[in-house]
Amino acid sequence: MTDEAETVLRRDPVMAELIDRHDPYSEPNWSEYERLCISIINQQLSTASAAAVRERVFELLEGDVTPEAVLDADEAALRDAGLSRMKTEYLRNAARAFRRNDYTKEGLAAHTDDEVVDRLTEIKGVGEWTARMYLLFVLEREDVLPLGDLAVRRGIELLYGDGEEITRAEMREVAEAWRPFRSVATKYIWAEYESDS
């Protein structure tokens, strides 16, 4: 986290406490396509189930999670690893898209967040949540607020609403204080949420 981001986030007393209490949520250094596959696998699954499926799929591909490897993989084997028919299709849709277009950090550098979301959601199986995870983790954009993520919403409710349900509009209001570093704040909310779950 940059000094500037820390200065901005510490103005929010709740966020200041999180910064003191946690390291921000972080992930291994996945490739662009690997990270998109992980988000697709994670869709509508609990964290534990998603991790187990991801592990089996990555093992099946012998750690070579590339568009070519996914397109060459036996569909039945992917299904046996825990992917539904639909998710198998989504990973393959993403593989074909990655072979056609440049979705790397460099390739998308000139695109706004909204343009990136529009481009990614053209891939069947990539919704807004998945695209926002891509902005946050792959492109490392600093001001992404993924309210489509259940853990982020629950985390905000626990921290700012005493566990009571609050609307997305209210969540956006809370997050105004974190601009232009809402991605950084989100990673602290995940860290807190995971430490409680």
Side-chain angles (χ1 to χ4, degrees):
M1 175 168 53
T2 64
D3 289 346
E4 188 189 354
E6 185 167 356
T7 301
V8 168
L9 296 182
R10 280 191 178 279
R11 290 182 197 142
D12 173 343
V14 174
M15 197 52 66
E17 268 183 49
L18 295 187
I19 291 168
D20 290 339
R21 212 164 42 229
H22 300 289
D23 288 327
Y25 174 85
S26 64
E27 293 193 327
N29 196 16
W30 309 110
S31 74
E32 287 94 338
Y33 179 68
E34 277 177 319
R35 187 60 184 82
L36 188 63
C37 287
I38 290 165
S39 289
I40 291 170
I41 290 167
N42 288 353
Q43 291 168 4
Q44 298 172 328
L45 286 180
S46 71
T47 307
S49 299
V53 172
R54 181 191 74 219
E55 206 170 287
R56 289 194 300 269
V57 169
F58 280 34
E59 204 172 282
L60 171 70
L61 299 171
E62 296 174 351
D64 181 35
V65 186
T66 60
E68 292 70 28
V70 167
L71 290 169
D72 289 345
D74 179 66
E75 183 170 348
L78 289 169
R79 300 282 309 283
D80 288 345
L83 289 177
S84 64
R85 179 172 277 117
M86 206 168 252
K87 284 194 182 178
T88 301
E89 184 192 324
Y90 292 168
L91 292 187
R92 291 191 158 159
N93 290 343
R96 286 186 279 272
F98 266 67
R99 286 169 75 170
R100 281 193 309 270
N101 298 303
D102 185 356
Y103 292 103
T104 63
K105 199 170 179 178
E106 297 73 34
L108 293 172
H111 295 273
T112 66
D113 290 356
D114 288 341
E115 287 168 348
V116 171
V117 169
D118 288 346
R119 283 193 65 188
L120 286 169
T121 53
E122 284 170 7
I123 304 167
K124 187 172 183 218
V126 176
E128 178 134 348
W129 175 82
T130 303
R132 296 214 173 275
M133 293 299 109
Y134 199 84
L135 281 170
L136 213 151
F137 288 111
V138 175
L139 305 185
E140 297 174 322
R141 299 286 173 94
E142 290 189 318
D143 199 33
V144 179
L145 180 67
L147 291 182
D149 188 85
L150 179 63
V152 171
R153 292 197 311 275
R154 286 300 301 136
I156 292 173
E157 286 170 348
L158 291 166
L159 292 161
Y160 293 88
D162 292 327
E164 298 296 313
E165 201 172 303
I166 59 178
T167 67
R168 290 192 191 202
E170 289 168 326
M171 290 179 190
R172 276 189 279 275
E173 227 170 88
V174 165
E176 275 305 304
W178 311 334
R179 278 186 189 274
F181 301 107
R182 292 180 299 174
S183 298
V184 183
T186 294
K187 290 178 181 181
Y188 279 100
I189 287 167
W190 270 319
E192 173 74 5
Y193 184 78
E194 290 207 338
S195 73
D196 280 351
S197 48

Short mmCIF file of all heavy atoms in Angstrom, two decimals, residues 123-148:
data_model
loop_
_atom_site.label_atom_id
_atom_site.label_comp_id
_atom_site.label_asym_id
_atom_site.label_seq_id
_atom_site.Cartn_x
_atom_site.Cartn_y
_atom_site.Cartn_z
N ILE A 123 -17.54 -11.96 -23.12
CA ILE A 123 -17.21 -13.40 -23.08
C ILE A 123 -18.33 -14.10 -22.32
O ILE A 123 -18.58 -13.77 -21.15
CB ILE A 123 -15.86 -13.64 -22.36
CG1 ILE A 123 -14.73 -12.85 -23.01
CG2 ILE A 123 -15.54 -15.13 -22.31
CD1 ILE A 123 -13.44 -12.81 -22.17
N LYS A 124 -19.00 -15.04 -22.96
CA LYS A 124 -20.11 -15.74 -22.28
C LYS A 124 -19.57 -16.49 -21.06
O LYS A 124 -18.66 -17.31 -21.18
CB LYS A 124 -20.79 -16.70 -23.25
CG LYS A 124 -22.04 -17.29 -22.62
CD LYS A 124 -22.86 -18.09 -23.57
CE LYS A 124 -24.11 -18.55 -22.84
NZ LYS A 124 -24.53 -19.87 -23.15
N GLY A 125 -20.12 -16.18 -19.90
CA GLY A 125 -19.67 -16.80 -18.65
C GLY A 125 -18.91 -15.83 -17.77
O GLY A 125 -18.62 -16.11 -16.62
N VAL A 126 -18.59 -14.65 -18.33
CA VAL A 126 -17.93 -13.60 -17.54
C VAL A 126 -18.96 -12.51 -17.27
O VAL A 126 -19.38 -11.81 -18.18
CB VAL A 126 -16.70 -13.02 -18.27
CG1 VAL A 126 -16.10 -11.87 -17.47
CG2 VAL A 126 -15.66 -14.10 -18.51
N GLY A 127 -19.37 -12.43 -16.01
CA GLY A 127 -20.32 -11.40 -15.61
C GLY A 127 -19.60 -10.23 -14.98
O GLY A 127 -18.36 -10.18 -14.93
N GLU A 128 -20.38 -9.29 -14.50
CA GLU A 128 -19.81 -8.07 -13.92
C GLU A 128 -18.91 -8.37 -12.72
O GLU A 128 -17.84 -7.79 -12.58
CB GLU A 128 -20.96 -7.13 -13.51
CG GLU A 128 -20.44 -5.89 -12.87
CD GLU A 128 -21.08 -4.61 -13.39
OE1 GLU A 128 -21.78 -4.64 -14.40
OE2 GLU A 128 -20.84 -3.60 -12.72
N TRP A 129 -19.34 -9.29 -11.83
CA TRP A 129 -18.51 -9.62 -10.66
C TRP A 129 -17.14 -10.13 -11.09
O TRP A 129 -16.10 -9.69 -10.59
CB TRP A 129 -19.22 -10.67 -9.79
CG TRP A 129 -18.38 -11.15 -8.64
CD1 TRP A 129 -18.21 -10.53 -7.44
CD2 TRP A 129 -17.57 -12.33 -8.60
NE1 TRP A 129 -17.34 -11.26 -6.65
CE2 TRP A 129 -16.93 -12.36 -7.34
CE3 TRP A 129 -17.31 -13.36 -9.50
CZ2 TRP A 129 -16.07 -13.39 -6.96
CZ3 TRP A 129 -16.46 -14.39 -9.13
CH2 TRP A 129 -15.85 -14.39 -7.87
N THR A 130 -17.13 -11.06 -12.04
CA THR A 130 -15.88 -11.64 -12.53
C THR A 130 -15.00 -10.57 -13.16
O THR A 130 -13.78 -10.53 -12.92
CB THR A 130 -16.20 -12.76 -13.55
OG1 THR A 130 -17.04 -13.72 -12.89
CG2 THR A 130 -14.96 -13.44 -14.06
N ALA A 131 -15.61 -9.68 -13.92
CA ALA A 131 -14.85 -8.60 -14.57
C ALA A 131 -14.25 -7.66 -13.52
O ALA A 131 -13.11 -7.21 -13.65
CB ALA A 131 -15.75 -7.82 -15.52
N ARG A 132 -14.99 -7.40 -12.45
CA ARG A 132 -14.46 -6.52 -11.39
C ARG A 132 -13.32 -7.19 -10.63
O ARG A 132 -12.36 -6.53 -10.22
CB ARG A 132 -15.57 -6.06 -10.46
CG ARG A 132 -16.59 -5.21 -11.18
CD ARG A 132 -17.22 -4.11 -10.39
NE ARG A 132 -18.04 -3.31 -11.29
CZ ARG A 132 -17.60 -2.30 -12.03
NH1 ARG A 132 -16.34 -1.95 -11.99
NH2 ARG A 132 -18.41 -1.64 -12.82
N MET A 133 -13.41 -8.50 -10.44
CA MET A 133 -12.29 -9.23 -9.82
C MET A 133 -11.04 -9.10 -10.70
O MET A 133 -9.92 -8.96 -10.21
CB MET A 133 -12.63 -10.72 -9.63
CG MET A 133 -13.72 -11.01 -8.62
SD MET A 133 -13.32 -10.46 -6.95
CE MET A 133 -14.45 -9.10 -6.79
N TYR A 134 -11.25 -9.12 -12.00
CA TYR A 134 -10.15 -9.00 -12.96
C TYR A 134 -9.52 -7.60 -12.85
O TYR A 134 -8.29 -7.47 -12.83
CB TYR A 134 -10.67 -9.26 -14.37
CG TYR A 134 -9.59 -9.60 -15.37
CD1 TYR A 134 -9.13 -10.91 -15.48
CD2 TYR A 134 -9.04 -8.64 -16.20
CE1 TYR A 134 -8.14 -11.24 -16.39
CE2 TYR A 134 -8.05 -8.96 -17.11
CZ TYR A 134 -7.60 -10.27 -17.20
OH TYR A 134 -6.62 -10.59 -18.10
N LEU A 135 -10.37 -6.60 -12.79
CA LEU A 135 -9.86 -5.22 -12.62
C LEU A 135 -9.01 -5.11 -11.35
O LEU A 135 -7.94 -4.50 -11.35
CB LEU A 135 -11.03 -4.23 -12.49
CG LEU A 135 -11.74 -3.79 -13.75
CD1 LEU A 135 -13.00 -3.01 -13.37
CD2 LEU A 135 -10.85 -2.95 -14.64
N LEU A 136 -9.51 -5.70 -10.30
CA LEU A 136 -8.88 -5.57 -8.99
C LEU A 136 -7.58 -6.37 -8.89
O LEU A 136 -6.55 -5.85 -8.47
CB LEU A 136 -9.89 -6.07 -7.94
CG LEU A 136 -9.86 -5.39 -6.59
CD1 LEU A 136 -11.24 -5.43 -5.97
CD2 LEU A 136 -8.89 -6.06 -5.66
N PHE A 137 -7.63 -7.65 -9.30
CA PHE A 137 -6.48 -8.53 -9.07
C PHE A 137 -5.49 -8.59 -10.23
O PHE A 137 -4.30 -8.71 -9.99
CB PHE A 137 -6.95 -9.94 -8.73
CG PHE A 137 -7.56 -10.03 -7.37
CD1 PHE A 137 -8.91 -10.26 -7.21
CD2 PHE A 137 -6.78 -9.86 -6.24
CE1 PHE A 137 -9.47 -10.33 -5.94
CE2 PHE A 137 -7.34 -9.93 -4.97
CZ PHE A 137 -8.68 -10.16 -4.82
N VAL A 138 -5.98 -8.54 -11.45
CA VAL A 138 -5.08 -8.68 -12.59
C VAL A 138 -4.56 -7.32 -13.04
O VAL A 138 -3.36 -7.11 -13.17
CB VAL A 138 -5.78 -9.41 -13.77
CG1 VAL A 138 -4.88 -9.45 -15.00
CG2 VAL A 138 -6.18 -10.81 -13.34
N LEU A 139 -5.49 -6.40 -13.25
CA LEU A 139 -5.08 -5.08 -13.75
C LEU A 139 -4.62 -4.16 -12.62
O LEU A 139 -4.05 -3.11 -12.86
CB LEU A 139 -6.22 -4.43 -14.54
CG LEU A 139 -6.76 -5.29 -15.69
CD1 LEU A 139 -7.81 -4.52 -16.48
CD2 LEU A 139 -5.64 -5.76 -16.62
N GLU A 140 -4.90 -4.58 -11.37
CA GLU A 140 -4.49 -3.84 -10.17
C GLU A 140 -4.94 -2.37 -10.21
O GLU A 140 -4.21 -1.47 -9.84
CB GLU A 140 -2.97 -3.94 -9.97
CG GLU A 140 -2.54 -5.37 -9.74
CD GLU A 140 -1.02 -5.54 -9.68
OE1 GLU A 140 -0.31 -4.87 -10.45
OE2 GLU A 140 -0.57 -6.36 -8.86
N ARG A 141 -6.20 -2.19 -10.66
CA ARG A 141 -6.78 -0.84 -10.64
C ARG A 141 -7.06 -0.49 -9.18
O ARG A 141 -7.52 -1.33 -8.40
CB ARG A 141 -8.06 -0.80 -11.47
CG ARG A 141 -7.86 -1.16 -12.94
CD ARG A 141 -7.19 -0.07 -13.73
NE ARG A 141 -6.84 -0.45 -15.09
CZ ARG A 141 -7.61 -0.23 -16.16
NH1 ARG A 141 -8.80 0.33 -16.03
NH2 ARG A 141 -7.19 -0.59 -17.36
N GLU A 142 -6.81 0.75 -8.82
CA GLU A 142 -6.83 1.13 -7.39
C GLU A 142 -8.21 1.49 -6.85
O GLU A 142 -8.39 1.55 -5.65
CB GLU A 142 -5.88 2.31 -7.16
CG GLU A 142 -4.43 1.92 -7.30
CD GLU A 142 -3.49 3.04 -6.87
OE1 GLU A 142 -3.76 4.22 -7.21
OE2 GLU A 142 -2.50 2.74 -6.19
N ASP A 143 -9.18 1.76 -7.74
CA ASP A 143 -10.44 2.30 -7.22
C ASP A 143 -11.65 1.46 -7.64
O ASP A 143 -12.63 1.97 -8.16
CB ASP A 143 -10.61 3.76 -7.68
CG ASP A 143 -11.62 4.51 -6.83
OD1 ASP A 143 -11.72 4.22 -5.61
OD2 ASP A 143 -12.33 5.38 -7.37
N VAL A 144 -11.57 0.15 -7.38
CA VAL A 144 -12.67 -0.76 -7.73
C VAL A 144 -13.42 -1.11 -6.44
O VAL A 144 -12.80 -1.46 -5.43
CB VAL A 144 -12.12 -2.05 -8.38
CG1 VAL A 144 -13.25 -3.01 -8.70
CG2 VAL A 144 -11.31 -1.72 -9.62
N LEU A 145 -14.75 -1.01 -6.51
CA LEU A 145 -15.59 -1.39 -5.36
C LEU A 145 -16.52 -2.51 -5.84
O LEU A 145 -17.55 -2.24 -6.44
CB LEU A 145 -16.40 -0.19 -4.86
CG LEU A 145 -17.31 -0.46 -3.67
CD1 LEU A 145 -16.49 -0.78 -2.43
CD2 LEU A 145 -18.22 0.73 -3.41
N PRO A 146 -16.15 -3.78 -5.58
CA PRO A 146 -16.94 -4.90 -6.11
C PRO A 146 -18.12 -5.29 -5.22
O PRO A 146 -18.07 -6.30 -4.50
CB PRO A 146 -15.90 -6.03 -6.20
CG PRO A 146 -14.97 -5.75 -5.06
CD PRO A 146 -14.95 -4.25 -4.89
N LEU A 147 -19.18 -4.51 -5.27
CA LEU A 147 -20.33 -4.79 -4.40
C LEU A 147 -21.12 -6.02 -4.84
O LEU A 147 -22.02 -6.46 -4.14
CB LEU A 147 -21.25 -3.56 -4.31
CG LEU A 147 -20.68 -2.37 -3.55
CD1 LEU A 147 -21.70 -1.24 -3.48
CD2 LEU A 147 -20.20 -2.75 -2.14
N GLY A 148 -20.74 -6.60 -5.98
CA GLY A 148 -21.34 -7.87 -6.38
C GLY A 148 -20.78 -9.03 -5.57
O GLY A 148 -21.28 -10.14 -5.65
#
